[in-house]
Amino acid sequence: RLSTLDDHAKPGERLFVLMTRLVYTLDRDIRFFTEARARDVDYLNAIAPEVRATIDERGVFHADFTPSSSFSIEWQEPVSPESPLLPFLPASARPATIIVQRNFDFARVLGFRTAERSVTWTAHVPVGRGRTRVYVYSLSLMHNIPPPFMGGKQRVYREAVDNIAMLITRLREYDGP
């Protein structure tokens, strides 16, 4: 099933794989999650200011975060019954929307190649009046992980968890339009 999340996979690629799954509930109505908001650079920078997101004239987003990268956003509404994400969700989950964020063009760090690409799928499932359950699946394909003296794979995991926790807190506190 992992290959369905990475439609750019090539046979024989030798990459480290980091996959995360996160589920949380927000006191936000499903109508809060719109395509316009998903593509709004001001909103992205409000909930993740460290990313310093910009968008170019072609509609490609850029993150000025180490390592810098580019990303695209695909909005799915209504959600197709053929969506490759559905088998990862609980059978009872009926997402109203899905955002697919594809990250690419990762910069080098200290001369080393970092990630090749990653994809994050975010499904929004209404769970009652004014509440939405959010399912986030990320698949990162990396050339290198930090060596053990720099924290190794535990550092990668810890940074991912810390960044996700910070994002959830900001989403819960967001009071913008």
Side-chain angles (χ1 to χ4, degrees):
R1 290 197 285 177
L2 289 178
S3 64
T4 64
L5 294 178
D6 178 28
D7 57 0
H8 291 92
K10 300 175 198 105
E13 280 188 308
R14 298 187 57 85
L15 300 167
F16 294 97
V17 176
L18 173 65
M19 184 164 186
T20 58
R21 175 183 182 263
L22 179 69
V23 180
Y24 58 96
T25 302
L26 292 173
D27 291 327
R28 301 261 183 206
D29 190 79
I30 193 69
R31 293 172 293 184
F32 175 82
F33 302 96
T34 65
E35 182 172 7
R37 189 178 306 276
R39 297 179 186 281
D40 181 349
V41 172
D42 291 333
Y43 170 72
L44 296 174
N45 286 321
I47 63 168
E50 65 281 352
V51 171
R52 296 181 300 278
T54 59
I55 188 168
D56 67 23
E57 65 281 349
R58 297 170 297 142
V60 176
F61 294 86
H62 303 281
D64 186 21
F65 180 75
T66 302
S68 63
S69 64
S70 298
F71 62 97
S72 64
I73 292 177
E74 174 189 335
W75 182 261
Q76 297 180 4
E77 182 183 24
V79 175
S80 166
E82 304 303 314
S83 172
L85 179 62
L86 294 181
F88 290 88
L89 297 172
S92 62
R94 300 284 177 260
T97 59
I98 293 177
I99 300 171
V100 181
Q101 178 179 325
R102 298 178 192 285
N103 302 287
F104 52 93
D105 290 339
F106 285 87
R108 292 175 178 256
V109 174
L110 301 174
F112 292 96
R113 292 182 76 186
T114 55
E116 173 65 22
R117 63 188 171 277
S118 66
V119 61
T120 299
W121 295 72
T122 304
H124 303 109
V125 178
V127 291
R129 188 178 181 130
R131 299 190 79 212
T132 301
R133 181 141 310 128
V134 182
Y135 295 85
V136 182
Y137 295 84
S138 291
L139 179 67
S140 299
L141 301 165
M142 303 166 63
H143 290 284
N144 294 292
I145 57 173
F149 71 87
M150 292 180 71
K153 57 188 170 189
Q154 292 81 8
R155 175 181 172 185
V156 173
Y157 173 78
R158 187 178 58 253
E159 287 177 357
V161 169
D162 290 347
N163 289 337
I164 290 166
M166 190 174 358
L167 178 64
I168 293 169
T169 298
R170 289 183 185 143
L171 280 168
R172 288 187 169 139
E173 294 172 349
Y174 180 75
D175 63 354

